[in-house]
Amino acid sequence: MKRELLITFSAFFFMSFTAFAGVYTGESNEKTVTVSEYKVDITGDGKKDLIYVKGMPYEEGAQFLKKIFLKIRASNGEIYKIDLEGGYDPATIYKDLNHDSVKDIFISIPTGGSGGLSNYFLYSLRDFQVANLTVPEALEVSSQFEEGYKASIKIEETGQSYSFDLSDRKDDYERLGLYQNGKLNEPTELMILPFGLLEPVKVKKGLYGLKGSQRINGAYNADGIANLESSWLYENGKWKLLSAEVKPLKAQ
């Protein structure tokens, strides 16, 4: 009976020891590079913690990092690891985004794709407890091209609607087969991208939140029509949309 209890306890200890974002004691044998390091108090005890951004290159000399993670040497003597997505040139910003008087870790990681997109992450380590605060979801937008080289969108969260006159692109759209003599060949949606930019800014009464920008494209990625800008505030454990606005791009 004692032997069975010992085995059960050992298994539970091992699982707890290796849990995601828990105390970290070592790295794999794969080659890692240190992208950056900062000294910031992110636990709230008044002492600076050492935060490393590390990555594993896809191959020798490659800029793309197939694995990226945070390694944190906290002031309590413990080491924490937080796994992130792969990508290029990860960057961190330290701001109090959940308004608990302790700085959080905001991370942006460009994907390197043609749309200029990035992955974003937000973590807290207050009182030495790792918490994933997440970031806002991109706004949901319904869209369509319309007869006569026009288009319209509707922001589902707010009900705001916008229309666009795209007649200056008619030659391109006719060549692509999207229109024929101004008549839409088939129902077609616009391209609403995820956040191309998300960054901490002061949004309300001196409080930090996030400002995001999503590109609205027409028939292809280079066919930019407008930017959808939004601002967000973290309240009661979730992100609250403060404002959303569509800003048409200036004609080339």
Side-chain angles (χ1 to χ4, degrees):
M1 183 65 178
K2 290 182 178 181
R3 182 173 179 274
E4 291 175 352
L5 288 174
L6 179 60
I7 293 173
T8 301
F9 176 80
S10 299
F12 175 79
F13 176 81
F14 180 77
M15 291 172 63
S16 301
F17 187 76
T18 58
F20 170 77
V23 177
Y24 178 66
T25 59
E27 297 174 9
S28 72
N29 292 326
E30 293 186 83
K31 181 179 179 180
T32 63
V33 295
T34 299
V35 179
S36 62
E37 62 178 84
Y38 295 90
K39 289 183 177 180
V40 183
D41 176 17
I42 56 172
T43 63
D45 66 350
K47 301 176 183 178
K48 290 187 177 181
D49 309 287
L50 186 56
I51 305 105
Y52 297 95
V53 180
K54 291 178 170 285
M56 298 179 185
Y58 180 75
E59 58 185 16
E60 185 71 28
Q63 292 185 330
F64 179 75
L65 302 173
K66 62 181 180 180
K67 294 180 182 178
I68 297 174
F69 59 93
L70 300 177
K71 180 180 177 181
I72 302 165
R73 293 183 179 274
S75 59
N76 65 351
E78 301 287 3
I79 299 177
Y80 301 81
K81 180 189 175 188
I82 300 174
D83 291 315
L84 307 169
E85 299 283 343
Y88 296 84
D89 302 320
T92 55
I93 298 175
Y94 301 90
K95 298 292 182 183
D96 179 16
L97 287 165
N98 65 346
H99 317 126
D100 62 356
S101 301
V102 180
K103 290 182 178 179
D104 306 305
I105 314 171
F106 178 81
I107 311 107
S108 59
I109 305 176
T111 63
S114 60
L117 303 179
S118 298
N119 289 317
Y120 300 95
F121 307 87
L122 180 62
Y123 283 90
S124 166
L125 199 67
R126 181 183 178 180
D127 297 331
F128 307 100
Q129 300 296 315
V130 176
N132 183 359
L133 301 180
T134 71
V135 296
E137 295 286 342
L139 290 174
E140 186 177 346
V141 178
S142 57
S143 66
Q144 58 275 324
F145 282 97
E146 297 175 345
E147 303 293 338
Y149 313 108
K150 298 177 187 278
S152 64
I153 68 168
K154 179 182 178 182
I155 304 172
E156 298 298 335
E157 285 87 345
T158 65
Q160 294 166 272
S161 296
Y162 296 83
S163 298
F164 308 98
D165 182 351
L166 306 174
S167 55
D168 60 336
R169 314 171 195 219
K170 65 180 181 180
D171 291 341
D172 197 20
Y173 289 168
E174 291 278 344
R175 180 181 59 81
L176 292 171
L178 181 61
Y179 287 91
Q180 186 173 7
N181 297 322
K183 183 175 177 58
L184 192 63
N185 279 327
E186 61 181 10
T188 305
E189 297 180 347
L190 279 66
M191 301 171 62
I192 314 296
L193 301 185
F195 288 121
L197 176 67
L198 192 65
E199 59 181 349
V201 297
K202 288 184 178 179
V203 295
K204 184 179 180 181
K205 296 180 180 179
L207 297 176
Y208 273 95
L210 291 173
K211 180 179 180 181
S213 180
Q214 297 171 242
R215 178 61 64 90
I216 301 172
N217 294 331
Y220 47 90
N221 272 335
D223 186 25
I225 295 176
N227 286 326
L228 171 54
E229 299 185 355
S230 56
S231 61
W232 305 80
L233 184 69
Y234 196 83
E235 285 187 345
N236 301 318
K238 60 182 180 180
W239 288 101
K240 176 184 177 182
L241 176 65
L242 297 180
S243 66
E245 182 181 6
V246 170
K247 295 186 176 181
L249 298 178
K250 294 181 179 179
Q252 300 296 321

